[in-house]
C-alpha cells in the first residue's frame, strides 16, 4: 500500500523557517514525481513546488519562489520542503503528493493537484506572532 506521511509543521513567527518532510512507505519515491501543496480555510488547494524524477527538475509557484526549496533524500525515501521567510499568508495545511506518468512530465511550471494520485494526510503550518 502506497502511503505518504508529512511532518515538520507547527507554529512559527513571521520571518521564521520550517522544514517539512514527506516520507513514503510501500514504494520508492525516487521513481515518482512529488508535489507540495497547501490549502487554507475557504481556499482552493494551491500547488507550491514539485520535483521530478531522473534529472530532478524543480518548479515553484510565484508565491513561494525564492523562499521555499524542495529536495530529495533517496536514502531516506523522503522529500523535503525548506520554507524560509515565512509570512502569515503561508498559514495552511501542507500536503505532499506523488505521481508517475510514463508519457509526459508531471512536474511542470503549473503545479496541478489533479495530476497527482497519492496524497499524504497533511501537516498544519501556522505563521503568527
Amino acid at each position: 500500500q502506497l502511503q505518504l506521511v508529512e511532518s515538520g509543521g507547527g507554529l512559527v513567527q513571521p520571518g521564521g523557517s520550517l522544514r517539512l518532510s514527506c516520507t513514503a512507505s510501500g514504494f520508492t519515491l525516487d521513481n515518482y514525481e512529488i508535489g507540495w501543496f497547501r490549502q487554507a480555510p475557504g481556499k482552493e488547494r494551491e500547488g507550491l513546488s514539485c520535483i521530478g524524477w531522473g534529472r530532478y527538475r524543480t518548479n515553484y509557484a510565484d508565491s513561494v519562489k525564492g523562499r521555499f526549496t524542495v529536495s530529495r533524500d533517496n536514502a531516506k525515501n523522503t522529500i523535503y520542503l525548506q520554507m524560509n521567510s515565512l509570512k502569515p499568508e503561508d498559514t495552511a495545511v501542507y500536503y505532499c503528493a506523488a505521481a508517475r506518468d510514463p508519457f509526459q512530465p508531471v512536474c511542470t511550471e503549473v503545479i496541478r493537484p489533479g495530476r497527482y494520485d497519492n496524497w499524504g494526510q497533511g501537516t498544519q503550518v501556522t505563521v503568527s506572532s
Side-chain angles (χ1 to χ4, degrees):
Q1 181 179 359
L2 307 183
Q3 187 175 12
L4 292 170
V5 178
E6 302 95 337
S7 61
L11 174 64
V12 63
Q13 292 187 343
S17 298
L18 283 175
R19 188 178 76 161
L20 304 184
S21 299
C22 172
T23 301
S25 60
F27 66 107
T28 302
L29 274 180
D30 194 29
N31 296 330
Y32 287 76
E33 300 186 63
I34 307 299
W36 281 100
F37 303 83
R38 68 186 178 192
Q39 189 164 19
K43 294 188 176 181
E44 292 187 355
R45 191 163 294 188
E46 176 188 9
L48 304 176
S49 178
C50 59
I51 183 165
W53 60 277
R55 292 185 179 181
Y56 297 165
R57 66 188 175 281
T58 58
N59 284 296
Y60 297 91
D62 288 343
S63 59
V64 304
K65 198 171 294 183
R67 299 189 298 126
F68 291 10
T69 303
V70 62
S71 61
R72 289 182 179 266
D73 185 336
N74 292 331
K76 295 183 178 180
N77 211 25
T78 297
I79 303 291
Y80 300 103
L81 185 68
Q82 178 67 42
M83 306 187 298
N84 299 328
S85 303
L86 284 163
K87 307 173 183 179
E89 51 263 44
D90 293 319
T91 296
V93 178
Y94 283 67
Y95 301 88
C96 64
R100 185 165 63 178
D101 186 332
F103 303 109
Q104 57 185 331
V106 178
C107 179
T108 57
E109 288 188 6
V110 179
I111 305 162
R112 294 185 174 91
R115 295 287 318 274
Y116 293 80
D117 307 307
N118 301 287
W119 290 78
Q121 83 292 345
T123 185
Q124 176 70 46
V125 172
T126 302
V127 184
S128 175
S129 55

